[in-house]
Amino acid sequence: MKTIAAELAYFLRGRARQNLKVLMLYCAFLVAMVLVYAVLFRSLMWNLEGREFSLIAGIYWAITVMTTLGFGDITFHSDLGYIFAAVVTVSGVIFLLIILPFGLISLFLAPWIEHRLRNRLVTELPRETTGHVVIFGVDAVIRAFISKLQARGIPFVLVTSDHDEALRLADEGLRVICGSPTTASVLSAIRVSAARYVVANLSDPENAAICLAVRSQCQTPIAVFVDEPEHSGMMHQAGANKIIALHKILGRYLAIRSTTCGALAHVLDSFGDLLIAEIPVHGTPFSGKTLENAAIRQRTGLAVIGIWERGCFTVPTRDTQLNDKALLVLAGSRVQLENLEQLIGEHAEDDLVFILGHGRIGCAAARFLERKPVPFILVDRAENPLCSEHIPIYGDATIRHVLEDAGIDQARGLIVTTNDDSTNIFLTLASRQLLPHIRLVARANCEETVEQLYRAGADFVVSNASVGAGILLNILEAKASAFLTEGVSVFRRPLPESLVGQTIVDSRLRPRTGCSIVALEPIDGDILVSPPPDSRLENGITLILIGTPAQEELFDTAISGH
Ligand code: ADP
Ligand code: ZN
């Protein structure tokens, strides 16, 4: 009852009220028209055919003819009568059957449906909402992030000032508030002061404004994506707690995996003194050997804690074959990585990496290689207005002779990083065909492309969305974990009580959770990387583990009992 009253009230307000007046006038016009026809009908019948009809009969005739019902019980039998009846029928079709429904739809139905759609959006979160994540700006990274939030049951709200986008998101069943992100009323409506985290993912100026607006209300932590790494200081000043220069990170991830030169250049993350690095097997003396014969541990002290092969992560055994396509995940100290560098014996200057696409990510990869210094050649079909340092070879990389003329046959590594996934797939396919042994790293702008890029021949694929989402999740969960790539991370946990005194093999950690111990960190003393299976787990040590998010969770629930 209440809803019907609310719907009726809609027609009595604002523009709907104006439209209602127009409709009334039109109806009055139609009534007048029927009356005029009825009077004319009577007079024509009397004058032409000598028949007399009442006014009611005239109205009845006019309505049946105008609505094209035409029962045929009252008809003219003269030419002038026929002409009059035809005029009444045509005017009925126009005014009653065309203009009236059209007017009803455009003046009432359409605005009413739009009003309903608008009202479908919630205008504020319930008062008791707490612990939610507030997200400004939705893109592929945020989409990957919100699916992780959904999987963990963490509540979130999206904020957009674009009404159409808000409706689309609401249609997907997502909680969305439409409004300008910096207005105090919107920030109160999304209960920003009770939120767990704010994620600002708009342009740099908009993100800075969001930080200031949020800080004027509360101290909720803010994570911000920056397009320009130079803006980081400014964002801090505006109140951001975590700043993510995603393009720079992605560029670094691509660059690290494209060169074998300088093992220290491959460090992905660190836990104090323990460094985690990734290095392609191709071009190293380990190529074609088993892990045991490669004797990496004996020769460098480094532990091989994982192997990537075409996007698949495995924990290697002694018999694992190290083939050219594989990428080693290593853990160890700086000195041990230097040992590896010497062992590989390749100097950074000997390498050559081609970077196809000089956008923000390609440029960040180039800057990273530049510092090592690994020689590189950029290819792009257009100028990058944000970069005045690098001079790429101009041309469409999909045209074979452009790459051939640029000397791609000299390249040892290749980074495919245009902003178009189908171009990236094409470039991966074409380059793999041209250079079967090149270390080929590709970027996936969209999650669905990852698999296709591997199938096209990429040795490693860096997905913008999953890297961004993984970083955000680590920030949100305040995890001391190193994010390797989608699906695997290195994380730290205090030794659970249930395992105190056991050996690693007795603890059956790997069969129970799938996680592997990378290192043991005593309270004082040196970190023990890749501890032997008979190492005893002493009270007070910290475990550094590697595993997928599911395995990590299993560790927390099954072993730590959280
Ligand atoms: P991002 O900043 O995310 O790296 P951009 O859109 O800025 O993305 O950069 C992509 C770059 O790839 C652009 O500079 C564009 O000119 C380049 N690019 C796209 N297609 C081709 C192609 N077929 N050949 C060469 N360069 C390309
Ligand atoms: Zn550049």
Side-chain angles (χ1 to χ4, degrees), residues 219-427:
Q219 288 307 313
T220 305
I222 309 172
V224 173
F225 284 99
V226 285
D227 286 334
E228 290 292 317
E230 300 89 75
H231 292 163
S232 302
M234 205 179 67
M235 291 294 181
H236 260 308
Q237 226 173 350
N241 301 75
K242 298 279 178 194
I243 291 151
I244 310 161
L246 190 58
H247 298 109
K248 194 172 157 190
I249 296 171
L250 292 166
R252 184 164 71 92
Y253 277 16
L254 287 166
I256 283 177
R257 282 138 176 162
S258 69
T259 171
T260 46
C261 292
L264 281 171
H266 295 271
V267 175
L268 278 177
D269 220 321
S270 60
F271 286 101
D273 293 338
L274 179 72
L275 305 179
I276 311 284
E278 282 190 14
I279 186 159
V281 172
H282 180 63
T284 67
F286 318 128
S287 170
K289 296 187 177 158
T290 61
L291 189 61
E292 189 174 21
N293 292 340
I296 299 174
R297 170 127 211 188
Q298 290 84 332
R299 292 156 88 182
T300 65
L302 289 166
V304 180
I305 58 171
I307 290 188
W308 283 109
E309 218 175 331
R310 294 266 151 111
C312 249
F313 181 85
T314 50
V315 176
T317 62
R318 287 190 323 201
D319 308 322
T320 305
Q321 186 92 16
L322 306 179
N323 72 45
D324 268 357
K325 299 267 171 249
L327 211 93
L328 302 178
V329 184
L330 302 163
S333 66
R334 176 167 282 272
V335 176
Q336 290 167 341
L337 279 170
E338 276 165 4
N339 294 342
L340 177 70
E341 225 168 67
Q342 282 191 346
L343 185 71
I344 294 174
E346 199 178 36
H347 296 292
E349 302 84 61
D350 299 338
D351 206 356
L352 177 62
V353 176
F354 262 60
I355 305 173
L356 310 185
H358 180 219
R360 285 163 301 179
I361 298 175
C363 185
R367 276 173 215 246
F368 184 82
L369 292 175
E370 208 164 39
R371 282 199 300 273
K372 296 306 148 196
V374 172
F376 60 87
I377 291 176
L378 284 155
V379 180
D380 201 301
R381 61 179 174 197
E383 231 173 281
N384 180 346
L386 300 171
C387 172
S388 52
E389 289 162 44
H390 303 130
I391 303 167
I393 290 174
Y394 289 110
D396 188 333
T398 55
I399 301 171
R400 195 178 173 124
H401 78 80
V402 171
L403 294 184
E404 282 174 348
D405 294 351
I408 197 153
D409 54 326
Q410 301 298 313
R412 294 176 173 207
L414 177 67
I415 299 175
V416 177
T417 173
T418 79
N419 53 341
D420 179 50
D421 278 344
S422 45
T423 307
N424 289 348
I425 293 172
F426 180 82
L427 288 173

Side-chain angles (χ1 to χ4, degrees), residues 192-216:
V192 74
S193 51
R196 173 173 174 161
Y197 233 104
V198 172
V199 176
N201 183 35
L202 296 169
S203 69
D204 287 358
E206 286 169 305
N207 288 345
I210 289 171
C211 291
L212 290 169
V214 172
R215 277 295 158 267
S216 69

